[in-house]
Amino acid sequence: MPLLRSTSNLARLSRSLFPLGRQCRLNSTTASPPPADGHLPSVASSELLSTKRDTSLRTPGITWADDDVNAPPRIALGGRETRKMNTYQAIRDAMSIALSKDESAVVFGEDVAFGGVFRCTMGLAEEFGRERVFNTPLTEQGIAGFGIGLALMGHTAIAEIQFADYIFPAFDQIVNEAAKIRYRSGGSYNAGGLTIRTPTMSVGHGGLYHSQSPEGFFMGASGLKIVIPRSPIQAKGLLLGSIRDPNPVIFMEPKILYRSAVEQVPIDDFELPLGKAEVLRSGSDLTLLTWGTPVYHCETALHLLETPSPELDSIVPRSLRSSKVELIDLRTVLPWDIETVMESVNRTGRLVIVHEAGMTAGVGAEISAEIQKRCFLKLNAPVRRVTGWDGRPSIPVALQYEKFHIPDAIRILDAIMETLTY
């Protein structure tokens, strides 16, 4: 069966999608130009975003801070309000709530008093004072160490590492101190009050110091949690959950979603559960697992599978177009939700994992190994990984080639078709 891995098919597809020179000029007078955002779903038009108040207030797993935990779940949501927010606004809203409800909470990092490079802390210093929202020197190791000290003294420390690419100087403090202090002290001390926020993943032109996805480096650090949200509602609820979790958390924010993802976000104080994946789309033929920005690339790939564009019509077999693919957002990378993923794979018999970081020793490698062990007799095909090409997350090429490294909808579609036809 012809798949995109075929050289001839790839060449034919490339010529169809990206005509050059004279061919492009001749066609320009006979064909209508595409819309500005193309024919495929984009982040802005994603069906995975909650753009209505009712769907926002019924986000799966949401818990309201003002609800009595012993009372039955509230059915009527008439008193709840939402506001249109992008991701950085939702993150700012979460920190504002944390600062207003916890007098021991402080926010600090490089340039955070000025609003931060992505504006996530804009206005917080003016609202809560520069004793609680303040700048630090340019020292990631110092930021992490200072946060650990605050947490050990009972404070709530919300630290910002300006880019995830810069987190490596703080690696020793995070892995050898924050993650281990509870065990090291026999439970007498802990750094559970520490949350480290950091922008992650690519924007398409960040190069080797502004587009890395380093979550895999922390997978062996027992005692840490790693959370990566996909949208404004998820960012607010998961960040508040991270700040209040009794363990140190690295909260990685996909930077391209700061402004491109927009939802109606509840203005009240709420949390979403850490360590729990969310099934975004049910299916029975294949499980598609991802987190962060690639969630939307996966959505586009599923759209291409069901209704391929004219250029792909001869390449996507008609027998696969009705396939039911289950899409899962992992959300918490460490500890990851083994039960949800295993239950899904036992039903579908197939698993494709998508992430931006490189393949070797990435998060997908750990998930793949565990699923191969636990679901071996149920698998109808090998677990497939679609990742950045090996060499990432360090992006060892010029930034002009960054998009070539990122798993896009075509590569994901190819993996889905290959796995379905194995």
Side-chain angles (χ1 to χ4, degrees):
M1 186 164 295
L3 298 177
L4 293 184
R5 292 174 67 85
S6 164
T7 303
S8 59
N9 280 337
L10 280 171
R12 177 155 48 91
L13 177 61
S14 178
R15 288 194 297 270
S16 299
L17 292 177
F18 307 107
L20 298 174
R22 180 175 173 79
Q23 179 186 354
C24 183
R25 291 194 295 273
L26 289 174
N27 289 342
S28 65
T29 60
T30 59
S32 299
D37 57 353
H39 296 289
L40 298 173
S42 64
V43 175
S45 61
S46 172
E47 295 180 357
L48 303 176
L49 297 173
S50 298
T51 57
K52 304 292 184 182
R53 173 183 174 276
D54 287 348
T55 55
S56 170
L57 295 176
R58 289 177 171 81
T59 298
I62 194 169
T63 56
W64 306 97
D66 57 1
D67 270 353
D68 183 352
V69 294
N70 297 315
R74 181 187 301 192
I75 303 300
L77 297 172
R80 305 286 186 190
E81 296 182 12
T82 64
R83 187 169 70 244
K84 187 177 181 180
M85 299 184 197
N86 58 27
T87 302
Y88 91 75
Q89 291 168 331
I91 289 168
R92 193 260 183 215
D93 195 41
M95 286 189 284
S96 177
I97 290 173
L99 287 164
S100 64
K101 291 195 170 185
D102 181 356
E103 292 185 354
S104 75
V106 292
V107 174
F108 54 94
E110 298 164 8
D111 299 327
V112 298
F114 310 139
V117 293
F118 292 105
R119 318 312 293 159
C120 294
T121 55
M122 187 166 56
L124 291 179
E126 290 75 17
E127 184 177 353
F128 296 100
R130 293 186 180 270
E131 297 81 12
R132 300 183 64 195
V133 181
F134 51 88
N135 295 329
T136 66
L138 304 183
T139 167
E140 286 74 27
Q141 183 179 18
I143 293 170
F146 180 69
I148 293 168
L150 282 173
L152 289 174
M153 296 177 66
H155 291 269
T156 297
I158 307 170
E160 178 181 305
I161 302 295
Q162 199 168 80
F163 285 87
D165 315 58
Y166 306 161
I167 205 167
F168 299 108
F171 195 82
D172 175 65
Q173 288 290 321
I174 295 170
V175 174
N176 275 335
E177 305 298 339
K180 298 176 181 176
I181 192 69
R182 189 192 305 270
Y183 178 80
R184 176 184 172 189
S185 67
S188 299
Y189 300 96
N190 70 84
L194 173 64
T195 301
I196 298 176
R197 295 179 40 252
T198 185
T200 190
M201 299 188 174
S202 63
V203 291
H205 53 265
L208 68 164
Y209 286 130
H210 297 86
S211 285
Q212 297 184 52
S213 300
E215 63 268 20
F217 287 97
F218 296 94
M219 287 298 287
S222 298
L224 284 180
K225 292 189 177 182
I226 303 173
V227 180
I228 305 178
R230 72 172 185 274
S231 71
I233 293 175
Q234 298 292 314
K236 179 177 178 179
L238 290 171
L239 180 53
L240 283 168
S242 298
I243 292 170
R244 293 161 180 167
D245 192 89
N247 300 281
V249 179
I250 302 177
F251 191 83
M252 295 185 167
E253 303 158 4
K255 65 179 77 72
I256 201 171
L257 302 180
Y258 275 137
R259 288 170 174 79
S260 59
V262 179
E263 289 184 302
Q264 288 290 330
V265 180
I267 62 174
D268 290 337
D269 183 353
F270 69 91
E271 296 179 24
L272 291 171
L274 273 58
K276 184 66 177 173
E278 182 180 357
V279 178
L280 302 179
R281 170 175 168 167
S282 298
S284 56
D285 297 320
L286 182 144
T287 300
L288 185 58
L289 177 67
T290 189
W291 52 90
T293 307
V295 167
Y296 302 98
H297 302 322
C298 289
E299 182 187 22
T300 302
L302 295 180
H303 179 85
L304 289 172
L305 178 67
E306 296 169 356
T307 55
S309 60
E311 296 84 2
L312 292 172
D313 188 68
S314 62
I315 296 175
V316 180
R318 294 189 178 276
S319 60
L320 299 184
R321 298 182 188 183
S322 59
S323 300
K324 304 300 181 184
V325 177
E326 182 150 295
L327 177 60
I328 299 178
D329 177 11
L330 196 59
R331 300 196 293 186
T332 301
V333 171
L334 183 69
W336 61 281
D337 187 353
I338 296 176
E339 288 74 19
T340 295
V341 179
M342 187 171 67
E343 188 278 331
S344 176
V345 175
N346 278 333
R347 282 188 293 102
T348 66
R350 298 175 177 88
L351 174 62
V352 175
I353 305 167
V354 182
H355 60 68
E356 283 194 11
M359 179 176 288
T360 300
V363 177
E366 172 62 26
I367 296 173
S368 176
E370 196 65 29
I371 293 300
Q372 292 269 109
K373 180 183 76 173
R374 293 174 179 247
C375 306
F376 183 77
L377 296 178
K378 296 286 188 177
L379 288 173
N380 297 318
V383 175
R384 178 70 183 271
R385 288 175 287 161
V386 185
T387 69
W389 302 113
D390 265 345
R392 278 193 57 126
S394 58
I395 311 269
V397 294
L399 59 83
Q400 294 93 328
Y401 299 103
E402 182 173 319
K403 289 187 177 181
F404 176 74
H405 284 266
I406 301 167
D408 59 13
I410 294 296
R411 286 177 58 198
I412 297 168
L413 173 64
D414 181 36
I416 291 172
M417 293 196 308
E418 187 177 74
T419 304
L420 286 171
T421 56
Y422 180 83

